[in-house]
């Protein structure tokens, strides 16, 4: 194969990443030549990232229906599942840049937009990774910029503390993950996910009669990912980091890195340890789905119960995000089925959930930014009287919170519906029931904020909150997406199903 | 026992003593700065083992990266945190230390040069049998195989972006707040 054919076959798979690299370089140049144009850099980053979200749809570049091919020497996959995650990650980067423009802590630093761009690039590659080397490099490209951003605010000691905590916990988790991955490489001599599975099942595999080392490696990997998606019991860093980091950074951490981690988590599990991998006559799949089920239950319950008692809005959203990770893990646990249709619905439900969660959470965080800038506080009790200070802010935040709670017509309802449906299809009805019960608990603290905003009298009610233009755009875009997904979920869930079907098919027929 | 294998045993013993002795020096020394020097000696011994194992490229990497870069970083870090290093008696017994350092230097240099170029000449077949040129190694790292089906070019390039972002971020965090910001904060 000539180099030109090679490039034309492989470049579309990383089109958004190439765009992001160019964007990063442009930001660096503009920042050094026009030191007074920080807000314009923010708009530039937001617009370019949003435009890059259409690259997966350009004819000839988009992956074909049912295709899940390996590109760049087996490093990444080019498929629709990668596309859907890339679209939500690019929008997360775009909207984060937009909402940061008016943030006093980070908005007037050009480097912020550069680092967000690189982190978005890492997340976008992570969602497509098919090789443990690529996976780890991409994961660090998401994480290390975020450690920096969490501690980005000079004027705030809480930000420095948050950055250091995030760095220590995150690097610890990366080390554990890397240890697990290196064990897998050591056992098989392969770095590509499906090649590891093939090597494990081959007759020469040194693990053919010994399942324990594989379980040890798998556990280490789950622990590492557990930190990244802030699932209990590996969630300790979440509240402190969410509270201390500048709010746009918190928003980005809560959506982009989490969405990409979920994508690669599913790719890893079904790539390396599908049902076909039997070691010593036992299925490894039963082991990891069991662990994921336990993590899902613990995350949902712990996150929701602890969120009930929070007084700081960002801490409340931190515990809420732990619970949301638990819901999404329900979908991952549903991968225990060997039926291709059920696997499809499990993968697509997680993809849809992360899609709707990205926009809902960004919507709520945009409200938190606006309110903190106007009122100088993040206490939930201070949200009282918001509807008289800014009705639009109250309306949009209500829609966001309802979506997180899972109430129609907001998108969260269908998000949870598809997840629990997949769980039931995979014979995990008990898990689905626990999920539903938890949603009822969660309703309390989301509705409490809504009640405070609309009913309670506030002390500064005569001071109207003005919504600046970038945040107005943020509210507009996210609200429309959240409502559209809640009313007509068919296009996105259909797209997710197509993508998931290709991945599930590759798993079920890919192995000997 | 032929000359070549005798030389190998001598070289192995010297490097083994350097590696283990250096490691002992690191953990037994209460002075962090001296511990760093001992670490360099230990790493140097490991580099020698790489030479004996017909991996001169790794030996070069060991010397350049570990002894050259990482150990120097350690030294900087130790010197920047001087209060922890009990470094007050640094300049006592200077001549004694200088003599020791020169002897050590001669031994270290001799220990590497002698087995490779001086003491025995085993020919290319023993020491340099499976050696790739640095260029070949680089190409193999980013792009294994002629059919372009396997290679690490993508993670390799992404790592460079990661390092750029990390470096810029580190500068932003470490930089003192500039006057404009200070003025804003009052």
């Amino acid at each position: 194969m000539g180099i030109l054919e090679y490039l034309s076959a492989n470049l579309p798979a990383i089109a958004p990443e190439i765009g992001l690299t160019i964007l990063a370089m442009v930001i660096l140049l503009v920042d050094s030549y026009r030191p007074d144009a920080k807000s314009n850099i923010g708009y530039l980053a937001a617009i370019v990232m949003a435009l890059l979200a259409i690259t997966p749809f350009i004819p000839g570049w988009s992956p074909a229906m049912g295709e899940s091919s390996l590109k760049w020497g087996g490093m990444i996959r080019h498929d629709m599942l990668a596309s859907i995650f890339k679209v939500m990650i690019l929008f997360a980067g775009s909207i984060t840049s937009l909402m940061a423009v008016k943030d006093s802590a980070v908005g007037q630093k050009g480097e912020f937009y550069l680092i967000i761009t690189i982190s978005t690039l890492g997340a976008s590659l992570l969602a497509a990774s098919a090789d443990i080397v690529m996976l780890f490099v991409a994961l660090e490209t998401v994480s290390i910029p975020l450690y920096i951003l969490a501690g980005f605010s000079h004027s705030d000691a809480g930000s420095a503390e948050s950055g250091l905590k995030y760095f220590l916990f995150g690097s610890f988790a990366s080390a554990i993950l890397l240890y697990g991955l290196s064990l897998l490489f050591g056992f098989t001599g392969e770095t590509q996910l499906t090649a590891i599975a093939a090597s494990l099942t081959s007759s020469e595999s040194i693990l053919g009669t010994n399942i324990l080392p594989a379980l040890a490696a798998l556990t280490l990997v789950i622990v590492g990912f557990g930190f990244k998606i802030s699932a209990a019991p590996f969630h300790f860093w979440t509240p402190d980091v969410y509270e201390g980091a500048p709010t746009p950074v918190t928003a980005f951490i809560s959506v982009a890195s989490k969405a990409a981690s979920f994508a690669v988590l599913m790719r890893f599990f079904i790539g390396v340890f599908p049902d076909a991998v039997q070691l010593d006559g036992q299925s490894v799949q039963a082991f990891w789905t069991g662990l994921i089920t336990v993590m899902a239950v613990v995350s949902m319950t712990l996150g929701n119960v602890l969120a009930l008692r929070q007084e700081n809005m960002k801490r409340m959203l931190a515990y809420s995000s732990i619970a949301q990770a638990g819901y999404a893990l329900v979908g991952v646990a549903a991968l225990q089925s060997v039926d291709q249709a059920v696997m499809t619905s499990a993968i697509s439900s997680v993809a849809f959930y992360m899609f709707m969660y990205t926009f809902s959470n960004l919507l709520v965080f945009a409200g938190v930014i606006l309110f903190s800038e106007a009122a100088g506080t993040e206490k939930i009790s201070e949200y009282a009287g918001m509807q008289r200070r800014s009705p639009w802010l109250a309306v949009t935040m209500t829609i966001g919170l309802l979506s997180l709670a899972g109430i129609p017509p907001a998108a969260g309802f269908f998000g949870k519906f598809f997840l629990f449906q997949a769980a039931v299809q995979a014979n995990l009805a008990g898990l689905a029931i626990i999920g539903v019960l938890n949603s009822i608990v969660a309703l309390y603290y989301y509705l409490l904020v809504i009640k405070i905003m609309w009913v309670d009298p506030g002390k500064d009610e005569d001071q109207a909150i003005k919504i600046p233009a970038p945040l107005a755009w943020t509210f507009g875009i996210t609200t429309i997406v959240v409502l559209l997904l809640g009313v007509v979920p068919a296009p996105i869930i259909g797209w997710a199903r197509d993508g998931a079907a290709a991945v599930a098919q590759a798993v079920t027929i890919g192995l000997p | 026992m032929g000359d070549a294998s005798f030389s190998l045993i001598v070289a192995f013993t010297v490097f083994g003593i350097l590696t283990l002795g250096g490691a002992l020096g690191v953990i037994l020394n209460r002075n962090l700065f001296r511990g760093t020097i001992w670490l360099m000696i230990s790493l140097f011994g490991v580099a020698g083992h790489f030479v004996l194992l017909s991996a001169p490229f790794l030996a070069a990497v060991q010397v350049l990266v570990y002894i050259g870069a990482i150990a120097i970083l350690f030294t900087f870090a130790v010197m920047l945190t001087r209060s922890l290093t009990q470094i007050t008696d640094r300049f006592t017994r200077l001549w004694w230390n200088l003599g020791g350092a020169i002897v050590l230097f001669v031994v270290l240099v001799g220990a590497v040069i002698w087995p490779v170029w001086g003491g025995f000449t085993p020919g290319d077949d023993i020491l340099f049998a499976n050696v790739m040129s640095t260029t070949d190694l680089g190409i193999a790292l980013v792009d294994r195989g002629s059919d372009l089906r396997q290679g690490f070019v993508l993670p390799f390039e992404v790592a460079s972006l990661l390092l750029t972002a990390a470096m810029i971020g580190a500068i932003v965090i470490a930089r003192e707040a500039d006057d404009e910001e200070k003025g804003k904060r009052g």
Side-chain angles (χ1 to χ4, degrees), chain A residues 16-22 24 49 86 89-90 115-127 138 141-142 252, chain B residues 158 161-162:
Chain A
E17 289 81 1
I18 292 173
L20 289 169
T21 312
I22 297 170
M49 281 197 249
K86 282 182 183 185
I89 287 160
L90 286 165
I115 297 175
I116 274 283
T117 306
I118 305 264
S119 188
T120 310
L121 183 150
S124 163
L125 274 176
L126 183 60
T141 311
V142 187
F252 190 79
Chain B
V158 173
L161 280 170
L162 165 63

Side-chain angles (χ1 to χ4, degrees), chain A residues 363-425:
Chain A
L363 171 53
V364 173
F365 270 110
V368 174
I369 290 176
L370 178 56
F371 191 78
S372 310
E373 291 287 319
T377 175
E378 288 161 1
K379 283 186 73 164
I380 295 177
S381 54
E382 298 289 322
Y383 281 62
M386 190 199 269
Q387 54 112 347
R388 275 171 291 265
R389 298 183 68 178
S390 171
W392 282 111
L393 176 61
V395 168
T396 48
M397 272 199 87
T398 303
I399 293 172
L401 289 167
L402 285 179
S403 180
L404 290 179
I407 306 287
F413 170 72
F414 279 110
K416 288 202 172 63
F417 174 76
F418 291 133
L419 281 177
F420 298 150
Q421 188 189 33
V424 172
Q425 284 172 348

Side-chain angles (χ1 to χ4, degrees), chain B residues 55-160:
Chain B
F57 178 78
L58 284 180
V61 168
Q62 179 83 8
V63 172
L64 289 175
V65 176
Y66 280 88
I67 301 174
I70 292 182
I72 297 298
L73 273 182
F74 272 137
T75 317
F76 278 146
V78 167
M79 288 180 144
L80 286 172
T81 53
R82 183 169 299 193
S83 57
L84 301 172
T85 56
Q86 307 177 356
I87 213 160
T88 43
D89 58 344
R90 199 158 42 125
F91 294 110
T92 56
R93 295 181 298 166
L94 193 61
W95 289 106
W96 179 228
N97 286 350
L98 185 67
I102 290 171
V103 170
L104 193 63
F105 180 77
V106 171
V107 169
L108 285 176
V109 171
V112 167
I113 291 178
W114 175 65
V116 177
W117 284 286
F120 66 105
T121 48
D124 289 348
D125 51 331
I126 294 181
L127 273 186
F128 297 101
N130 299 312
V131 178
M132 301 167 95
S133 79
T134 316
T135 321
D136 291 343
L137 194 77
I139 290 174
L141 278 176
V142 294
D143 188 53
R144 291 185 281 158
S146 55
D147 56 350
L148 300 165
R149 273 180 50 243
Q150 264 199 315
F152 293 102
V153 66
L154 193 57
F156 183 80
E157 295 297 333
V158 173
S160 67

Side-chain angles (χ1 to χ4, degrees), chain A residues 64 93 135 187 226 229 312 339 359 373 403 414 419-420 498:
Chain A
L135 188 160
F187 296 145
I229 59 174
N312 179 300
D339 182 40
F359 285 93
E373 291 287 319
S403 180
F414 279 110
L419 281 177
F420 298 150
D498 290 342

Side-chain angles (χ1 to χ4, degrees), chain A residues 94 120 174 185 208 233 313 318 356 363 415 464:
Chain A
S94 165
T120 310
S174 294
F185 173 68
M313 186 69 179
M356 87 75 203
L363 171 53

